[in-house]
Amino acid sequence: MSTPHPNRDPSALFSGPLAWTEDLTVRFGSRTVLDRVNVAVEPGEVVTLIGPNGAGKTTLVRAVLGLVAPDGGRVLRRPNLRIGYMPQRLSVDQTLPLTVRRFLALWRPVTTDRVAAALEEAGVTRLADSAVQTISGGEMQRVLLARALLGEPDLLVLDEPDQAVDVHGQAELFNRIAQVRLRRGCGVLLVSHDLHTVMARTDRVICLNAHVCCSGRPEDVSRHPEYHALFGGHARDLAVYVHHHDHAHAGDGKVVHDHDGDCCHG
Amino acid sequence: MDEFVIRALLAGGGIALLAGPLGSFVVWRRMAYFGDTLSHSALLGVTLGFLLGVNPMVGVMVVCVSLALALVALQRRRHLAADTLLGILSHGSLSLGLVALAFLETLRVDLMAYLFGDILSVTDGDLMAIYGGGVVALTGLALLWRRLLAVTVDEDLARVEGMPVDALRLAFMLLIALVIAIAMKIVGILLITSLLIIPAAAARRFARTPEGMAALASVLGILAVVAGLMASLNWDLPGGPSVVVAAAALFLLGSLVPLRR
């Protein structure tokens, strides 16, 4: 088992968020995928991005990771912030003979002891000598968690785990991530469709539909029309605190303002 | 054994040794057609070398690298699929090389030797180029090995980990160009890719690690060179094609071997 890492990091001396965006705007061609988005992840906080398909969740995550360049606004991180990224899927070409153990050692120089510890923390020690092409989607998710942990991340970033992973496996993965967060004190930014699995284990929910529709604590139960519009029946027993209840969505997802033009949202 | 046979074995063996690990990467990265395209452009490089009065190998390097960069630029525009672009560049550059060669009326070039190789006419200078270039290429590959593997597995993950992905891809293209430049004389530009990919493909079934596959590919490549050369000498067959036929035969034999699962 690995030891806790309280304040092990020089960046912990900084206060404020680990990573944040300022009016982040991303366009693909003429389509505005992200429209002046402001989000932040604080140390030790689990932030969940939800929103319908095409809402820009993955694009937002990729921008925070530095994989997508902003067309407007900025993405900012603490100096020397270490990000552990778990992509939604990873398939390794059949032609490449690669065991799980070896896969974990590709990303930085690591000792076999540290690889073993990461495998144990992610609960996949038994897979160490399996070929990466032979393990299941759920097992790969945990291997990717182990990989991310080897980088001693300050911020863990997960894209929407693959649909191939069953609900039970999903829940178990999130439990592990919750444990990791408690043990290591890292922030978590995750993208999800599956509200039920995620809501109970998250500190803050950001509801995204190109712009930030609403955000807040999942336990601050309220009924937000936009949230319901986006998620329909699924939203019934889960609701989100609302702080921007001053616009509505037209049929095409565009924001229709019902107030004067002094708002700061989309 | 005659001296020219020894030189041929040393040259072919050196190329096969180098082709093992590099060819494995070509297979892992699905770049077989890319390697073919680069090697087809080599004839243009030879012609340019003659025109400018520099070593043909330098000409080949320059043309291969320019072509690789042109390909990267064209792929960014995404109007055409990669295999279409490769087809255009591959046959376009090969034909341009043939046409340019025809313009050099004063120059008598043994075209067949460039297309299919002439392993039995290897000079000491060729050997020095092969082993000098080979040491450079293998050292470079060894230094970049882990990071190239990481980029091969997933470019996004490598980027997030702060690896210089574009520089690594470019370095890999340079290594391929270098191998093409020094192997051209031995197997010819039409057959270089086969020496890269066939031994690596034959090694895949028996390998548990990337390094194991690379090493076995080198061994199988050297076996193919020895067998092909011996066949070539005994039955007066063309050298380069005989080596490739031997490699293909090894691949077939290997795929018949039953493996314990």
Side-chain angles (χ1 to χ4, degrees), chain B residues 2-12 15 55 57 118-134 182 185-186:
Chain B
D2 288 318
E3 203 188 320
F4 75 95
V5 178
I6 293 171
R7 274 206 295 265
L9 282 171
L10 284 176
I15 300 279
N55 188 312
M57 285 194 191
D118 192 2
I119 192 169
L120 295 178
S121 71
V122 170
T123 65
D124 289 340
D126 293 334
L127 277 178
M128 278 168 63
I130 289 170
Y131 281 86
I182 62 180
K185 181 82 182 279
I186 312 305

Side-chain angles (χ1 to χ4, degrees), chain A residues 68-184:
Chain A
V68 168
D71 293 301
R74 296 196 291 173
V75 175
L76 294 136
R77 303 177 190 173
R78 276 192 190 183
N80 304 317
L81 181 78
R82 287 186 300 245
I83 294 185
Y85 173 42
M86 291 174 61
Q88 58 188 156
R89 66 177 70 82
L90 186 91
S91 62
V92 177
D93 200 289
Q94 285 289 342
T95 57
L96 179 60
L98 197 66
T99 60
V100 165
R101 194 191 295 281
R102 192 60 210 286
F103 168 77
L104 294 177
L106 288 181
W107 310 93
R108 57 185 61 76
V110 284
T111 62
T112 49
D113 286 352
R114 290 196 53 216
V115 170
L119 282 165
E120 185 169 348
E121 194 170 355
V124 281
T125 301
R126 71 197 159 79
L127 298 175
D129 295 309
S130 304
V132 285
Q133 292 91 351
T134 61
I135 64 176
S136 74
E139 287 168 339
M140 180 50 100
Q141 278 296 324
R142 292 209 239 158
V143 169
L144 288 171
L145 174 62
R147 192 207 71 85
L149 294 179
L150 276 170
E152 301 286 330
D154 308 306
L155 174 63
L156 203 55
V157 178
L158 285 81
D159 196 353
E160 186 168 24
D162 200 86
Q163 267 87 12
V165 181
D166 61 76
V167 175
H168 176 72
Q170 203 85 274
E172 210 181 303
L173 181 73
F174 287 134
N175 282 337
R176 286 218 176 255
I177 288 166
Q179 286 167 19
V180 164
R181 191 257 303 227
L182 288 176
R183 196 179 308 129
R184 297 179 173 237

Side-chain angles (χ1 to χ4, degrees), chain B residues 44-86:
Chain B
L44 186 59
V46 172
T47 318
L48 263 180
F50 282 128
L51 270 176
L52 302 175
V54 297
N55 188 312
M57 285 194 191
V58 176
V60 170
M61 285 290 291
V62 169
V63 169
C64 283
V65 171
S66 313
L67 199 76
L69 293 176
L71 189 70
V72 170
L74 282 171
Q75 275 176 333
R76 289 238 169 90
R77 295 168 63 179
R78 293 167 194 275
H79 292 305
L80 292 168
D83 61 337
T84 306
L85 289 173
L86 286 172

Side-chain angles (χ1 to χ4, degrees), chain B residues 99-177:
Chain B
V99 167
L101 209 56
F103 269 111
L104 296 175
E105 284 169 8
T106 55
L107 193 68
R108 282 282 141 256
V109 174
D110 183 0
L111 186 59
M112 286 298 276
Y114 278 111
L115 292 179
F116 298 106
D118 192 2
I119 192 169
L120 295 178
S121 71
V122 170
T123 65
D124 289 340
D126 293 334
L127 277 178
M128 278 168 63
I130 289 170
Y131 281 86
V135 166
V136 170
L138 281 180
T139 308
L141 194 59
L143 289 174
L144 301 177
W145 188 263
R146 180 178 62 79
R147 277 167 287 183
L148 269 177
L149 273 176
V151 170
T152 300
V153 167
D154 195 277
E155 287 196 0
D156 280 352
L157 277 183
R159 239 182 258 278
V160 173
E161 298 295 347
M163 294 185 200
V165 173
D166 295 323
L168 286 165
R169 288 169 59 172
L170 186 65
F172 182 68
M173 287 179 192
L174 281 172
L175 289 174
I176 296 284

Side-chain angles (χ1 to χ4, degrees), chain A:
Chain A
M1 271 296 148
S2 72
T3 48
H5 307 271
N7 299 329
R8 74 202 134 70
D9 184 342
S11 77
L13 298 172
F14 294 83
S15 57
L18 297 169
W20 67 104
T21 67
E22 288 177 356
D23 287 337
L24 174 65
T25 300
V26 175
R27 294 185 196 93
F28 292 155
S30 59
R31 201 165 79 88
T32 301
V33 183
L34 294 175
D35 185 11
R36 282 169 289 157
V37 169
N38 293 291
V39 297
V41 184
E42 305 287 338
E45 183 190 38
V46 178
V47 175
T48 301
L49 290 172
I50 57 170
N53 284 328
K57 305 184 295 288
T58 297
T59 305
L60 176 52
V61 162
R62 290 178 64 82
V64 170
L65 292 168
L67 295 172
V68 168
D71 293 301
R74 296 196 291 173
V75 175
L76 294 136
R77 303 177 190 173
R78 276 192 190 183
N80 304 317
L81 181 78
R82 287 186 300 245
I83 294 185
Y85 173 42
M86 291 174 61
Q88 58 188 156
R89 66 177 70 82
L90 186 91
S91 62
V92 177
D93 200 289
Q94 285 289 342
T95 57
L96 179 60
L98 197 66
T99 60
V100 165
R101 194 191 295 281
R102 192 60 210 286
F103 168 77
L104 294 177
L106 288 181
W107 310 93
R108 57 185 61 76
V110 284
T111 62
T112 49
D113 286 352
R114 290 196 53 216
V115 170
L119 282 165
E120 185 169 348
E121 194 170 355
V124 281
T125 301
R126 71 197 159 79
L127 298 175
D129 295 309
S130 304
V132 285
Q133 292 91 351
T134 61
I135 64 176
S136 74
E139 287 168 339
M140 180 50 100
Q141 278 296 324
R142 292 209 239 158
V143 169
L144 288 171
L145 174 62
R147 192 207 71 85
L149 294 179
L150 276 170
E152 301 286 330
D154 308 306
L155 174 63
L156 203 55
V157 178
L158 285 81
D159 196 353
E160 186 168 24
D162 200 86
Q163 267 87 12
V165 181
D166 61 76
V167 175
H168 176 72
Q170 203 85 274
E172 210 181 303
L173 181 73
F174 287 134
N175 282 337
R176 286 218 176 255
I177 288 166
Q179 286 167 19
V180 164
R181 191 257 303 227
L182 288 176
R183 196 179 308 129
R184 297 179 173 237
C186 57
V188 179
L189 174 63
L190 75 90
V191 165
S192 185
H193 273 333
D194 190 354
L195 308 181
H196 292 265
T197 317
V198 165
M199 287 291 218
R201 299 172 182 84
T202 195
D203 299 316
R204 203 151 51 86
V205 175
I206 294 170
C207 187
L208 194 71
N209 192 17
H211 67 291
V212 175
C213 291
C214 49
S215 72
R217 300 193 161 271
E219 66 265 28
D220 289 336
V221 177
S222 76
R223 302 284 180 268
H224 189 274
E226 272 192 40
Y227 180 69
H228 282 263
L230 289 175
F231 291 101
H234 294 292
R236 222 171 288 130
D237 53 348
L238 297 155
V240 175
Y241 172 75
V242 176
H243 56 216
H244 282 143
H245 189 181
D246 53 5
H247 62 272
H249 287 270
D252 59 359
K254 282 225 175 69
V255 175
V256 180
H257 293 255
D258 52 8
H259 56 85
D260 297 332
D262 60 349
C263 64
C264 56
H265 60 79

